[in-house]
C-alpha cells in the first residue's frame, strides 16, 4: 500500500517530523520551506527549533508547554492553510575557480563524461541551483539543479579531508563545502566564499530555498577575494531582482 502524505511522526518525546513526500522534488521542498517560514513568522507556543530538509520539517518543542498531539494538530492546520510562493528566495552568483588543488576531480570527470574541462565547466556554470537544505556539517549546502549529464556516483572510498568551500558533485546533487572534512563527493573547484563563519552574524551564509549560479573566475580574482574574506569583508550579496 502506498504511504499517505502529508504525515507527522513523533521522534522521541520532544520532536515531530512533518513529512510531505518520500522523494526529492522542487515543489515538495518549496512547501517545506513555506511551512518553515510560516511557523517562523507565526510560531506555535512551545516550538524551540526547526530544521527544513528536502521533504520534511523537523520541529523540536518543549513538552512542558505543548504536548505532541496538540502540536501535531496545529501543524496540520497550518499545512491546510499553507500558501506557497518563491518570492522570498534569494539568488547569489557564487564565484568559482575550477580545477586546481581543490578541484581534484575536474580532469577525470571530464574524461568520464567525454567532455573537455571547458565544456564541463561551462555546463556546470550554466545551471541555476536550488539550496534544498543545509546540513551534514555547519552551513553545508545541498544543491538541486545539477545538469543530467553531470550526474556521477560518489567515490567508493571517501577521502579523509576535503577543504572548506570546495564545489562538489555527488549523484544527482551539487554541493558547497562549509568546513574541512571527509567526503566521498567529487570536487571540481572552490569558491573564496565562506558558507560558515562563527564570528559572522549570521554565521550561515545560505539558507534553504536560496538560488545559486556559479560564476567561473581566474586565480587572480580568487586571490583578491581570498584577501577580502580573510579581512572580514563581504564578497557575496544577494542579487537585486
Amino acid at each position: 500500500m502506498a504511504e499517505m502524505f502529508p504525515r507527522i511522526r513523533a521522534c522521541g518525546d520532544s520532536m515531530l517530523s512533518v513529512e510531505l513526500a518520500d522523494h526529492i522534488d522542487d515543489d515538495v521542498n518549496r512547501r517545506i520551506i513555506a511551512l518553515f517560514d510560516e511557523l517562523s513568522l507565526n510560531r506555535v507556543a512551545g516550538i524551540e527549533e526547526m530544521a527544513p530538509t528536502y521533504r520534511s520539517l523537523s520541529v523540536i518543542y518543549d513538552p512542558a508547554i505543548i504536548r505532541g498531539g496538540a502540536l501535531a494538530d496545529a501543524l496540520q492546520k497550518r499545512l491546510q492553510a499553507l500558501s506557497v510562493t518563491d518570492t522570498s528566495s534569494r539568488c547569489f552568483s557564487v564565484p568559482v575557480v575550477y580545477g586546481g588543488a581543490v578541484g581534484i576531480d575536474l580532469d577525470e570527470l571530464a574524461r568520464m563524461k567525454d567532455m573537455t574541462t571547458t565544456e564541463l565547466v561551462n555546463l556546470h556554470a550554466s545551471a541555476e541551483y536550488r539550496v534544498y537544505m543545509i546540513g551534514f556539517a555547519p552551513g553545508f549546502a545541498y544543491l538541486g539543479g545539477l545538469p543530467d549529464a553531470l550526474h556521477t556516483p560518489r567515490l567508493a572510498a571517501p577521502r579523509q579531508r576535503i577543504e572548506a568551500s570546495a564545489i562538489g558533485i555527488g549523484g544527482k546533487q551539487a554541493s558547497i563545502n562549509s568546513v574541512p572534512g571527509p567526503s566521498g563527493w567529487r570536487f571540481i573547484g572552490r569558491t573564496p566564499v565562506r558558507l560558515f563563519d562563527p564570528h559572522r552574524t549570521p554565521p550561515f551564509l545560505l539558507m534553504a530555498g536560496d538560488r545559486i549560479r556559479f560564476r567561473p573566475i581566474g586565480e587572480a580574482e580568487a586571490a583578491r577575494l581570498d584577501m577580502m574574506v580573510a579581512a572580514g569583508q563581504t564578497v557575496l550579496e544577494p542579487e537585486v531582482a
Side-chain angles (χ1 to χ4, degrees):
M1 182 189 300
E3 296 189 74
M4 300 296 292
F5 295 93
R7 66 188 180 198
I8 299 176
R9 289 183 165 181
C11 302
D13 61 0
S14 60
M15 190 178 97
L16 297 179
S17 177
V18 183
E19 302 178 349
L20 298 190
D22 58 1
H23 60 278
I24 297 174
D25 178 270
D26 280 8
D27 290 335
V28 169
N29 190 246
R30 288 188 185 98
R31 290 185 66 205
I32 287 295
I33 293 168
L35 180 61
F36 172 80
D37 290 343
E38 159 62 20
L39 291 168
S40 297
L41 289 172
N42 304 292
R43 190 169 292 241
V44 176
I47 291 180
E48 295 186 328
E49 189 175 351
M50 297 180 292
T53 73
Y54 294 102
R55 61 176 191 90
S56 65
L57 180 68
S58 299
V59 182
I60 299 172
Y61 64 96
D62 184 346
I65 297 175
I66 187 169
R67 305 302 294 173
L71 178 56
D73 290 342
L75 293 173
Q76 286 282 15
K77 291 178 181 178
R78 296 293 179 93
L79 277 171
Q80 292 169 4
L82 192 63
S83 176
V84 181
T85 66
D86 246 357
T87 56
S88 63
S89 66
R90 305 174 302 170
C91 186
F92 294 90
S93 177
V94 177
V96 177
V97 55
Y98 286 90
V102 177
I104 51 181
D105 295 306
L106 178 62
D107 291 341
E108 181 182 0
L109 199 58
R111 287 193 294 270
M112 290 172 60
K113 303 300 181 181
D114 196 23
M115 298 178 183
T116 65
T117 56
T118 299
E119 289 171 337
L120 192 150
V121 166
N122 289 341
L123 180 58
H124 184 263
S126 71
E128 182 175 274
Y129 298 84
R130 177 181 181 82
V131 180
Y132 273 129
M133 62 177 284
I134 302 295
F136 170 67
F140 183 97
Y142 287 92
L143 310 177
L146 183 70
D148 289 352
L150 297 182
H151 293 183
T152 309
R154 293 172 177 81
L155 297 170
R159 298 183 177 101
Q160 292 306 299
R161 181 183 173 95
I162 295 295
E163 298 303 324
S165 301
I167 305 299
I169 290 175
K172 299 178 180 181
Q173 301 172 92
S175 68
I176 307 176
N177 267 22
S178 55
V179 296
S183 178
W185 293 55
R186 299 171 192 264
F187 292 92
I188 60 175
R190 74 169 184 92
T191 176
V193 175
R194 293 180 183 172
L195 295 195
F196 173 67
D197 183 346
H199 304 295
R200 184 175 59 205
T201 302
F204 303 110
L205 183 63
L206 300 177
M207 64 179 69
D210 285 342
R211 292 170 292 126
I212 284 175
R213 283 192 172 274
F214 292 116
R215 176 173 63 88
I217 62 173
E219 291 288 355
E221 185 175 357
R224 179 180 65 83
L225 294 175
D226 285 338
M227 291 178 63
M228 292 176 64
V229 170
Q233 298 179 44
T234 299
V235 298
L236 189 68
E237 295 280 3
E239 294 182 343
V240 178

